Amino acid sequence: MIEEELEPATFARRIPHGFTIGAATAAFQIEGAVREGGRGESAWDTFMAEPGRILDGSTAAIADDHFHRYREDVALMKDLGLDSYRFSLSWPRIQPGGKGRANREGVAFYDRLLDEFLAAGIRPMATLYHWDTPQELQKAGGWLSRDTAKRLGDYATLAAEAFGDRVDMWVTINEPTTVTLNGYALGIHAPGEELLFDALPAAHHQLLGHGYSVQALRAVGVAGGIGMTNVHSPVVPARDRVTDRYFASVFDTVHNRIFADPVLLGSYPKPPFGSGRLFRALTEVDSEDLATIHQPLDFYGLNYYMPTRIRAGSPKNGETPDGEAERMKDVPFSLVEFPEFAKTGFGWPVAPEYFGVALGEVAERYGEALPPVYITEGGVSYPDARSPKGAFHDARRIDYLAEHMAMALDGAPGVDVRGYFVWSLLDNWEWAAGFSQRFGLVHVDFDTLKRTPKDSYRWLQAVLASRPAP
Ligand code: BGC
């Protein structure tokens, strides 16, 4: 973006009154204190302890120590001027073991946290499930077991009873795509299953869990709006060939459509011709399940990071955007690079124009069935270097955020975009990449845990402060 457009007062003029600007995090990536306050273990506690699972061999045992430093973190959010903050409730902290009564100490932590947000004038958006499945449920099959969906609904009731008066917006589940593909199909996230298409029951059960959770939140009568979050990646064929187009449509089905269609339309998509067998676990489900999944929503959460390019033929290496997956070698297509775009620290293409494509696809596919949309995550990792004076001049992140926020603000015909949440407030523990990818507006020194706002934080702060009063 050109310099003048980045000028905070100029950029602020693009933001209409009522458009929410927030930042997002997830419990397991920031809280630490994994053995405190009666927290139970999660599937990620087990996974990160296995040799070779995490790129830098780190664990999230301390992460950002947000559990102890939450006051300082909320002060940073307030100083930044956020309208809203998206965080996740830790299931194993609230309901260790994933069954039974709530853990008083866990509930007390989120009570303190919510009160701190409200005192700071920040509207809380709470995600119920951001990947930390209680280990006991994991041992019993995790998302391959239908029972886990029921369990999520029960936990939603506990959360609704405890926090329903203060949460402004509820997200039931975050990116079931990523849990299914990385966790159950390719084995690069917890629980490390490598089932390829046999992972699809994990998708169905998460979606069912979403449905039960919406029902639970509504039954308790929570004050806030209710939605869920999917990550949408526009999928394009690498070459203008029938085989590339075919596998692009298979990937679009497995990455995007099977997660959005049942939630918004109440049905699974028709598999691309000839691939019906692969999707049988979904196309043969009971219509009652689809009715449970298809709940009226107050909003739809969309995460956008990047497009995906598909080429027919098994990959030589098992490259995926989130790291090497041996099992990719067993699929008949590959995920290939976009040489025309710059890359993030993760190697992901920087392609704001595809964010526009994502919005257009969602509008075209779901039309009237699409509730107002919040971009519940968008952001970028770069290896930010400390300047001699101790500052973090992350000009590339400012550019990335400005270009992507501009896309959200411009929207697309047929989509009512109501807000944008930056991933992430803090540098944090990036799942299988450990501490190697920094997405924060605030730098965190993982040795001393010192927080230092980066230039991108200062830029966003200036933008937010320059918005005209309503
Ligand atoms: C997830 C976050 C993650 C981010 C960057 C999203 O898929 O919801 O937890 O840190 O992407 O990889």
Side-chain angles (χ1 to χ4, degrees), residues 92-372:
R93 201 179 281 294
I94 292 178
Q95 194 190 35
K99 281 183 193 165
R101 288 217 311 263
N103 163 34
R104 273 222 322 269
E105 279 183 83
V107 170
F109 169 65
Y110 293 110
D111 268 333
R112 294 194 295 274
L113 187 61
L114 282 164
D115 291 344
E116 199 76 12
F117 296 146
L118 298 182
I122 295 162
R123 301 194 311 266
M125 178 189 270
T127 303
L128 283 171
Y129 176 70
H130 200 127
W131 308 356
D132 43 3
T133 311
Q135 177 58 20
E136 282 76 354
L137 300 187
Q138 192 60 57
K139 271 196 292 213
W143 289 113
L144 294 174
S145 160
R146 194 181 166 90
D147 182 58
T148 303
K150 271 268 177 245
R151 298 285 160 212
L152 188 76
D154 289 352
Y155 152 62
T157 302
L158 298 182
E161 285 168 347
F163 316 121
D165 54 337
R166 286 160 291 167
V167 169
D168 184 55
M169 286 192 277
W170 292 90
V171 172
T172 54
I173 54 177
N174 176 71
E175 294 192 4
T177 305
T178 312
V179 174
T180 308
L181 301 190
N182 285 352
Y184 288 83
L186 298 174
I188 55 173
H189 277 187
E193 296 282 352
E194 300 186 3
L195 301 169
L196 297 183
F197 280 83
D198 289 336
L200 290 180
H204 183 62
H205 296 145
Q206 286 180 84
L207 294 169
L208 205 52
H210 154 74
Y212 291 139
S213 305
V214 177
Q215 289 173 339
L217 294 169
R218 299 240 188 259
V220 175
V222 297
I226 302 173
M228 67 103 59
T229 285
N230 272 322
V231 58
H232 189 100
S233 179
V235 184
V236 293
R239 303 159 298 187
D240 190 19
R241 291 195 188 164
V242 90
T243 45
D244 287 8
R245 281 201 298 275
Y246 175 73
F247 285 113
S249 95
V250 170
F251 192 79
D252 180 31
T253 305
V254 78
H255 188 283
N256 299 315
R257 288 187 189 260
I258 62 169
F259 297 95
D261 284 24
V263 169
L264 297 171
L265 303 175
S267 56
Y268 280 111
K270 199 165 163 290
F273 180 78
S275 67
R277 197 179 41 85
L278 299 176
F279 290 93
R280 216 160 41 202
L282 304 179
T283 47
E284 291 179 357
V285 299
D286 212 297
S287 63
E288 258 181 54
D289 280 5
L290 287 164
T292 305
I293 294 169
H294 186 212
Q295 297 290 319
L297 298 180
D298 303 308
F299 69 92
Y300 185 64
L302 199 70
N303 292 352
Y304 170 78
Y305 285 95
M306 67 190 131
T308 308
R309 216 159 157 240
I310 298 288
R311 182 190 195 115
S314 301
K316 289 190 190 56
N317 51 23
E319 255 328 282
T320 79
D322 298 330
E324 291 267 315
E326 272 296 308
R327 270 303 241 160
M328 267 310 285
K329 293 184 190 153
D330 301 325
V331 301
F333 57 82
S334 332
L335 276 59
V336 294
E337 293 195 349
F338 286 84
E340 65 273 41
F341 296 125
K343 285 184 189 159
T344 74
F346 236 140
W348 299 353
V350 177
E353 49 271 62
Y354 274 100
F355 185 13
V357 173
L359 292 172
E361 284 182 355
V362 166
E364 184 197 310
R365 292 175 187 186
Y366 306 112
E368 291 290 300
L370 186 66

